[in-house]
């Protein structure tokens, strides 16, 4: 029988060549054994996974498209097939990107990086079998569109599978290799180019539709979720005609993005021509021969300690993945009409970039307001009054949140109510992680960080303990476990029923008359949006005076 990706055979060869014994080899993350019922037959070929110590079945590093290398660089993902059995025993390489310092919050161990990266991971409950019609949760990582990996431990799916769901994540191309348009590419590809990362995501969703039943899942019970750029990716799939019918619900964390213009194809093609110039490449064939690290060196990057002022490839209206601006898609009802969770955090990017939050005194708060709102500052200060310095931090955060991601969640809810039939469920996560005493990170201060961008992810995905996998960083409490039960349970319920409400946690849908949302803080409460204040903020966007540059810390 033919096998592929034979990790054990390769390890044995390395050991024999180096003279090491098998006992000297690094141990895997927990005992794994073969699955008695494997292989699973998919449309591409047969797959064999591993059974984890928990009993969960893991199929790691399953290819969902051909490697996008050589002539397939900057092409839509191509179907793949193989003979024999694919040994899905380890996660695939992350798509090529800058690597992470080891002293940041989101470092979970070194990962291989490569252009050959279009792989997915599938975790199923121990007894899952074809015909079970289990709910399926799919997660898309963030990272500003230039970093991120499905191999990161905080995106692991074992715990969600133990809860009775099938969990899937996957890699998609990022940066210039993921989104570059170019006139020669458009000519080659029938008048469109770019958006390859989004097309990778669409290909993965189609793979799930065609194959998940073989793993015990139900293609009609798929919840698509994502965080940060991953949330933007979820929105992209909602607005693309290529993804209609591929999921029944969506969760968008930090932030919900139903507005904003997408660049025209011509603008993306200009970026492609600029890259060609910078590379000194004569033509498209020459660009495809350039080593990937040379392309990466031309890419704008300000995360994980990098500081490169280069070029960035935008998403484009290519007439293929994106056929119209979001407003038109909504008006013409061309997108996916599915229930959504619009989620964000209390100390998210919006709070971090607001000059109001930097204020520590009444005078500083009022000065920031005048710079931001000019002649309208007095009206703002009446909506957000502060009488003492002690009141400033809470009021500043409230204003920043209501003008930022919570406003984005509200906008999505309003657009859903106006153009779609499906409900919107809104939440604000304000629980601060309980940090271990003395722990330090290069990219955040545990004493002041609050409910930071991505802080909610381990609660949604039940990966709290991954944050202690390399060193003790958190001291999780019983309440954190309970909150995880509620949040991960809601995400699974969205897949199973189309609503995140569960017997353990009722979640009211947002309506214009009753703009309710859940606050995931030190308790779970039902709050009401301050519609009057948020209406004023929406009508008076801040001038942006004094806004700091985007943070250099990871956004995934």
């Amino acid at each position: 029988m033919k096998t592929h990706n034979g990790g054990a055979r390769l390890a044995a060869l390395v050991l024999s060549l180096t003279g090491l014994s098998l006992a000297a080899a690094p141990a895997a993350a927990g005992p794994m054994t073969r699955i008695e019922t494997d292989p699973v037959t998919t449309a591409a070929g047969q797959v064999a996974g591993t059974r984890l110590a928990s009993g969960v079945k893991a199929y790691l590093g399953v290819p969902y498209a051909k490697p996008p290398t050589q002539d397939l660089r900057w092409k839509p993902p191509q179907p793949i097939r193989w003979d024999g059995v694919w040994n899905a025993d380890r996660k695939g390489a992350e798509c090529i990107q800058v690597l992470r310092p080891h002293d940041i919050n989101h470092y979970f161990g070194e990962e291989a990086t490569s252009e050959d990266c279009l792989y997915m991971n599938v975790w199923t409950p121990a007894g899952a079998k074809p015909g079970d019609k289990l709910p399926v949760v799919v997660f898309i990582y963030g990272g500003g569109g230039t970093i991120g990996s499905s191999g990161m431990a905080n995106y692991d799916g074992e715990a969600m599978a133990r809860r009775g769901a099938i969990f899937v994540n996957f890699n998609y191309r990022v940066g210039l290799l993921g989104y570059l348009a170019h006139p020669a590419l458009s000519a080659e590809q029938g008048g469109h180019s770019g958006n390859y990362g989004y097309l990778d995501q669409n290909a993965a969703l189609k793979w799930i539709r065609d194959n998940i039943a073989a793993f015990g899942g139900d293609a009609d019970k798929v919840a698509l979720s994502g965080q940060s750029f991953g949330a933007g990716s979820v929105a992209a799939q909602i607005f693309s005609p290529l993804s209609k019918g591929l999921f029944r619900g969506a969760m968008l964390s930090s932030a919900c993005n139903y507005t904003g213009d997408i660049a025209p194809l011509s603008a993306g093609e200009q970026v492609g021509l600029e890259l060609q110039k910078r590379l000194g490449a004569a033509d498209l064939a020459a660009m495809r021969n350039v080593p990937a690290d040379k392309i990466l060196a031309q890419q704008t990057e300000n995360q994980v300690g990098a500081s490169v002022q280069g070029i960035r490839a935008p998403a484009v209206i290519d007439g293929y993945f994106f056929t119209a601006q979001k407003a038109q898609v909504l008006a013409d009802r061309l997108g996916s009409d599915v229930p959504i969770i619009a989620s964000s955090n209390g100390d998210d990017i919006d709070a971090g970039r607001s000059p109001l939050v930097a204020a520590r005194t009444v005078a500083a708060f009022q000065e920031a307001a005048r710079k931001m709102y000019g002649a309208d500052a007095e009206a703002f200060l009446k909506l957000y009054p502060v009488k003492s310095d002690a009141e400033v931090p809470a009021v500043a955060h409230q204003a920043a949140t209501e003008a930022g991601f919570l406003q984005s969640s509200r906008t999505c809810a309003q657009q859903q109510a106006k153009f779609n039939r499906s409900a919107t469920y809104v939440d604000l996560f304000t629980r601060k992680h309980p940090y271990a005493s003395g722990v330090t990170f290069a990219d955040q201060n545990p004493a002041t960080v609050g409910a930071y961008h991505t802080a909610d992810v381990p609660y949604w995905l039940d990966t709290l303990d991954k944050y202690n996998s390399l060193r003790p960083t958190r001291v999780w409490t019983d309440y954190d476990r309970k909150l995880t039960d509620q949040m991960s349970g809601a995400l699974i319920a969205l897949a199973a029923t189309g609503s995140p409400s569960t017997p353990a946690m009722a979640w009211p849908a947002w309506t214009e008359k009753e703009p309710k949302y859940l606050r995931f803080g030190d308790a779970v409460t039902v709050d009401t949006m301050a519609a009057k204040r948020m209406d004023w903020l929406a009508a008076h966007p801040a001038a942006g005076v004094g806004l700091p540059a985007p943070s250099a810390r990871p956004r995934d």
Side-chain angles (χ1 to χ4, degrees), residues 60-80:
L60 308 177
V62 179
Y64 66 88
K66 290 181 179 178
T69 59
Q70 298 184 348
D71 289 345
L72 296 186
R73 177 188 280 179
W74 296 312
K75 278 189 178 181
Q78 302 297 305
I80 187 172

Side-chain angles (χ1 to χ4, degrees), residues 161-519:
R162 292 180 67 183
R163 292 179 179 273
I166 290 178
F167 187 85
V168 183
N169 63 23
F170 52 83
N171 290 338
Y172 59 91
R173 284 172 281 181
V174 295
L176 291 174
L177 289 164
Y179 295 92
L180 191 78
H182 190 283
L185 289 170
S186 297
E188 176 187 82
Q189 294 164 27
H192 62 84
S193 62
N195 295 334
Y196 301 114
Y198 291 140
L199 289 169
D200 293 342
Q201 296 165 10
N202 171 260
L205 289 171
K206 288 178 176 175
W207 188 99
I208 293 166
R209 176 198 62 193
D210 295 340
N211 297 291
I212 206 65
F215 295 86
D218 188 339
D220 293 326
K221 296 179 180 178
V222 174
L224 182 59
S225 61
Q227 187 274 333
S228 192
F229 188 86
S233 296
V234 172
Q237 301 306 322
I238 289 173
F239 282 90
S240 175
L242 296 183
S243 293
K244 289 193 75 170
L246 297 180
F247 48 94
R248 74 168 319 166
M251 189 277 279
L252 305 91
S253 171
S254 300
C256 194
N257 185 3
Y258 271 32
T259 59
D261 287 340
I262 304 168
L265 176 60
S266 59
E269 290 178 336
Q270 287 301 310
V271 175
L273 290 170
E274 174 63 20
L275 177 62
Q276 180 181 351
K277 178 182 176 181
R278 289 177 176 228
L279 295 175
D283 52 25
L284 180 57
M287 291 177 70
R288 283 180 167 145
N289 282 327
V290 172
D293 63 324
K294 302 297 184 184
I295 296 169
L296 186 63
Q298 300 299 327
Q299 177 178 296
T300 294
E301 185 57 84
N302 60 4
Q303 300 180 93
V304 293
S307 181
V308 179
Q309 300 306 309
I311 56 178
R312 184 183 179 100
V316 294
I317 300 287
D318 57 355
Y320 180 58
F321 181 80
F322 284 127
T323 57
Q325 296 291 353
K326 294 177 182 179
Q328 182 180 338
V329 171
L330 285 167
D332 294 342
R333 293 168 171 79
L334 301 175
S336 296
D337 184 351
V338 297
I340 65 171
I341 297 173
S343 178
S344 58
N345 296 336
D347 298 274
D348 221 310
I349 290 176
D350 48 6
R353 298 195 66 203
S354 173
L356 296 168
V357 175
R360 292 294 178 268
T361 66
V362 171
F365 181 84
Q366 293 174 343
E367 181 183 1
R370 293 187 180 99
K371 288 181 178 180
M372 294 170 69
Y373 295 105
D376 296 314
E378 293 309 314
F380 170 85
L381 292 170
K382 287 181 180 179
L383 291 172
Y384 295 95
V386 288
K387 297 179 180 179
S388 67
D389 293 350
E391 294 177 345
V392 169
V395 175
H397 271 83
Q398 187 75 22
T401 299
E402 290 179 350
F405 284 177
L406 190 63
Q407 186 78 269
S408 297
S409 296
R410 182 180 186 232
T411 299
C412 283
Q414 290 172 326
Q415 299 288 69
Q416 280 272 93
K418 182 177 180 179
F419 296 109
N420 294 334
R421 294 172 295 177
S422 301
T424 301
Y425 304 87
V426 179
D427 77 80
L428 181 68
F429 182 89
T430 61
R431 171 71 172 170
K432 178 176 177 175
H433 289 191
Y435 287 90
S437 177
V439 68
T440 60
F441 303 105
D443 58 338
Q444 66 171 224
N445 181 351
T448 60
V449 69
Y452 63 93
H453 188 67
T454 76
D456 56 332
V457 169
Y459 295 82
W460 288 118
L461 305 186
D462 191 2
T463 55
L464 298 180
D465 292 324
K466 300 299 181 181
Y467 289 71
N468 293 326
S469 58
L470 296 183
R471 59 175 174 143
T473 69
R474 310 297 200 271
V475 184
W476 302 113
T477 68
D478 289 343
Y479 175 73
D480 292 296
R481 306 289 180 186
K482 178 182 178 181
L483 186 57
T484 297
D485 289 343
Q486 292 171 307
M487 291 176 64
S488 61
L491 189 53
I492 293 171
L494 181 66
T497 70
S499 166
S501 281
T502 67
M505 186 180 71
W507 193 330
W510 181 97
T511 67
E512 197 74 62
K513 289 184 178 180
E514 294 189 68
K516 304 290 186 182
Y517 67 97
L518 289 188
R519 181 182 293 269

Side-chain angles (χ1 to χ4, degrees), residues 70-160:
Q70 298 184 348
D71 289 345
L72 296 186
R73 177 188 280 179
W74 296 312
K75 278 189 178 181
Q78 302 297 305
I80 187 172
R81 289 192 61 84
W82 60 85
D83 297 325
V85 178
W86 188 280
N87 286 329
D89 60 354
R90 61 191 58 205
K91 297 172 181 177
E94 65 184 8
C95 294
I96 191 164
Q97 59 193 263
V98 296
L99 300 182
R100 295 165 185 265
H102 297 187
D103 56 356
I104 63 176
N105 182 41
H106 279 184
Y107 178 76
F108 298 97
E110 203 65 24
E111 292 189 56
T113 181
S114 174
E115 279 191 87
D116 180 0
C117 62
L118 299 186
Y119 298 90
M120 68 166 48
N121 307 304
V122 182
W123 289 265
T124 78
K129 59 186 183 303
D132 283 351
K133 294 188 176 296
L134 298 172
V136 182
V137 174
V138 181
F139 184 79
I140 302 178
Y141 55 78
T146 59
I147 63 174
S149 167
S150 66
M152 289 178 61
N154 55 335
Y155 306 148
D156 191 84
E158 181 180 3
M160 292 291 273

